[in-house]
Amino acid sequence: MAVSHATIAPIRFGYGRAPWGSNPRDAGDLFRQLSEGAGAQHRLGPPLPERIKMLRDAGRAKRADRESAEAKRLGDLNRDQIISDIAGLLQRRAFGYGFFERLASFWADHFSVTGKSLNRVLFVPAFEVEAIRPHVMGNFADMLVAVTRHPVMLDYLDQRVSVGPNSRAGRRREQGLNENLAREILELHTMGVGSSYAQADVRELAELLTGYTYHGETGAFRFVENRAEPGAETVLGRTYGRGKPDPGEAEQALRDIAAHPETHRHLARKLAVHFTSDTPDQRLVAHLEAAFRDGKGHLPSVYAALLEHPASWESFGQKVKQPIDFLASILRATGWQPEQMERAQRNQLRYALRIMNQPLWQAPGPDGWPEAGVEWISPQGLSARIEIASKAGQRLARDRTLDPPGFAEQVLGDALAPATAFAIGGAEARWEGFALLFASAEFNRR
């Protein structure tokens, strides 16, 4: 069954169709969402310095007297902030400019970070706000530099403890080099696994990055010269840092790596996989790779290439929605806005993501959440989705003005299969009809 562009546009490139409002119908509408999304004003929560202070204040009160009312108040405040962050993120995904939000989500996962502890999850929402979103409509090299220098990334990949072995601090304290950040930059963030870099490149890049750290109280990026490895470093055949240690040398290396052909190829395939299929059309991958190369990393040019290629509009339903996408799709379809929910309802959103095995800002590793559908459509995963679909169906059934078959047509358009429409129309109870919609293969795929 061929599915129209008007149906594919909001589902594949956004978070679903909204019966209550307008939906993008084609590539032109989607591209307009990019500039609108980049300029939109959202409530994004406290900036990183405030989050650091919140955690420090709670820790100080707990150390003074863990049973005190103040320690409990500050601990509850931090937990409430995380719940609020989840609600805010889902609000943006479900009710923001869909294509922009999908890309912000893609890049945040590409440069995946998690809290080093459950408490430090409080810091992670600031990473997307400060390092990802400002560069979605910019150049990939600028985004790479921003995320590499961001305190949350520096903390997550242990760059803050990396010291040049021959630096003043290294000789004095016998501290060592940490290669985590350098390795993930080459292996995950740019060139990809199995590309042409060698272990020597990892080590030299790690030495070049020494000195990169941040201020513990403000979270501001800092370059500490006495921790930086002296002398020249050669990465992928290019030499940097011949003179006095300079943070600009590592930045230039990052920009050169961002421009590498294997980086273009790796990013092109990741975008194609994310938006179209776990086994994407190789012509689409090549088209995106050429857009990266010809545009010198200009990301809007790559997005335009994605939208203009026929393969981006074929084979609807090849991708399984990740849990957060599934939940955002329910919210968008129903019009339920997380920012208007009470705390208990917001906490239910957090619970929903946990039982579907995607707790926000706690990806299993620096490679982010898995893309393959088989990772999400497991017996446990399906059971969790059915539970969420049933609860959503029961709540939606309170609105006596809605008819399940008609609502399903509005939500899925011509992607609604006749067999699914028949099952929804034949449900014994109205809530079961809505639940069947949310549990259907069409709703769970894009």
Side-chain angles (χ1 to χ4, degrees), residues 417-436:
T420 303
F422 180 80
I424 292 171
E428 291 187 9
R430 290 175 67 254
W431 77 264
E432 291 177 334
F434 293 124
L436 284 170

Side-chain angles (χ1 to χ4, degrees), residues 238-256:
R238 297 188 181 184
T239 302
Y240 307 88
R242 290 185 175 89
K244 180 181 178 182
D246 178 357
E249 292 293 302
E251 178 177 332
Q252 185 57 56
L254 292 173
R255 293 186 179 279
D256 290 341

Side-chain angles (χ1 to χ4, degrees), residues 390-446:
S390 297
K391 289 181 177 179
Q394 291 165 16
R395 178 176 174 181
L396 190 59
R398 299 171 193 167
D399 185 345
R400 306 301 300 181
T401 67
L402 294 178
D403 168 59
F407 183 76
E409 289 182 9
Q410 289 180 301
V411 169
L412 291 176
D414 54 11
L416 179 64
T420 303
F422 180 80
I424 292 171
E428 291 187 9
R430 290 175 67 254
W431 77 264
E432 291 177 334
F434 293 124
L436 284 170
L437 163 64
F438 297 137
S440 68
E442 300 96 300
F443 190 85
N444 282 267
R445 290 180 174 272
R446 52 176 175 80

Side-chain angles (χ1 to χ4, degrees), residues 31 288 291-292 294-295 298-306 308:
F31 208 80
L288 295 175
F292 268 110
D294 297 343
H298 181 243
L299 293 176
S301 299
V302 178
Y303 310 149
L306 174 69
E308 73 187 11

